[in-house]
C-alpha cells in the first residue's frame, strides 16, 4: 500500500446520481469486521480453532468534520437513513453498498465552528472494487 493523504479518501452518500460527496469531513475511518465461528473442541488441545469463513461480515464507516450542510441531519429526520454509499480511496480502490446512518451528532461550542460526527453500518453485501 502506498502512503497517501487522508483528505484523498472520499465518502459519497445518497441515491442521487452522481452521489453527494459529504462536505466538511476532516476525519474518516473504515472498519472491516468478520465475526468468527468458533469450532474449538477437545481435539484442539486447549487451542482455539476458528473457521476460515465469518459468521457475519460488517463494514462500519465513521466521519467527523465541520458542519457545512444539513444533508445527514435532514436524512435522519426524513427517515432516509438507509442509502447507497461509496468510499473512494486515493489508490482508486472503492467500497460500495447500502449503509444505514446509525448515529449523527452535532456539537457547537461558543466561539468555534459547529462540528459533526456520523457512523454508518453496512446493510447487505458490500462490493470491493480494486483500483486500476
Amino acid at each position: 500500500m502506498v502512503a497517501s493523504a487522508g483528505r484523498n479518501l472520499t465518502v459519497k452518500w445518497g441515491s442521487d446520481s452522481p452521489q453527494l460527496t459529504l462536505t466538511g469531513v476532516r476525519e474518516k475511518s473504515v472498519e472491516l469486521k468478520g465475526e468468527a465461528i468458533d469450532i474449538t473442541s477437545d481435539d484442539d488441545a486447549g487451542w482455539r480453532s476458528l473457521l476460515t469463513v465469518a459468521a457475519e461480515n460488517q463494514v462500519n464507516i465513521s466521519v467527523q468534520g465541520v458542519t457545512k450542510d444539513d444533508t445527514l441531519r435532514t436524512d435522519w429526520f426524513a427517515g432516509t437513513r438507509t442509502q447507497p454509499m461509496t468510499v473512494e480511496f486515493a489508490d482508486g480502490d472503492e467500497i460500495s453498498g447500502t449503509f444505514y446512518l446509525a448515529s449523527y451528532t452535532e456539537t457547537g461550542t461558543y466561539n468555534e465552528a459547529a462540528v459533526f460526527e456520523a457512523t454508518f453500518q453496512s446493510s447487505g453485501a458490500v462490493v470491493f472494487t480494486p483500483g486500476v
Side-chain angles (χ1 to χ4, degrees):
M1 176 187 295
V2 177
S4 65
R7 68 179 168 270
N8 293 332
L9 190 144
T10 305
V11 179
K12 296 183 176 186
W13 169 253
S15 57
D16 292 338
S17 183
Q19 283 181 306
L20 172 72
T21 299
L22 292 180
T23 60
V25 175
R26 288 183 177 169
E27 298 179 30
K28 311 132 208 138
S29 71
V30 177
E31 177 187 37
L32 309 175
K33 292 178 68 172
E35 184 179 321
I37 300 173
D38 189 337
I39 58 168
T40 307
S41 68
D42 290 346
D43 300 330
D44 297 310
W47 290 96
R48 178 176 56 192
S49 184
L50 303 174
L51 279 180
T52 58
V53 297
E56 178 181 271
N57 290 312
Q58 305 173 28
V59 177
N60 298 313
I61 298 169
S62 62
V63 294
Q64 299 175 356
V66 176
T67 305
K68 291 193 173 183
D69 66 36
D70 64 353
T71 300
L72 296 178
R73 182 183 340 122
T74 300
D75 286 346
W76 176 268
F77 283 106
T80 51
R81 290 181 237 163
T82 302
Q83 296 202 51
M85 180 175 238
T86 303
V87 177
E88 297 174 348
F89 295 86
D91 62 3
D93 289 354
E94 283 187 4
I95 294 172
S96 60
T98 301
F99 284 79
Y100 176 74
L101 175 56
S103 68
Y104 178 77
T105 305
E106 267 187 59
T107 308
T109 58
Y110 167 70
N111 214 8
E112 295 183 30
V115 295
F116 75 96
E117 295 180 20
T119 57
F120 304 88
Q121 298 173 341
S122 60
S123 178
V126 174
V127 176
F128 172 74
T129 307
V132 178

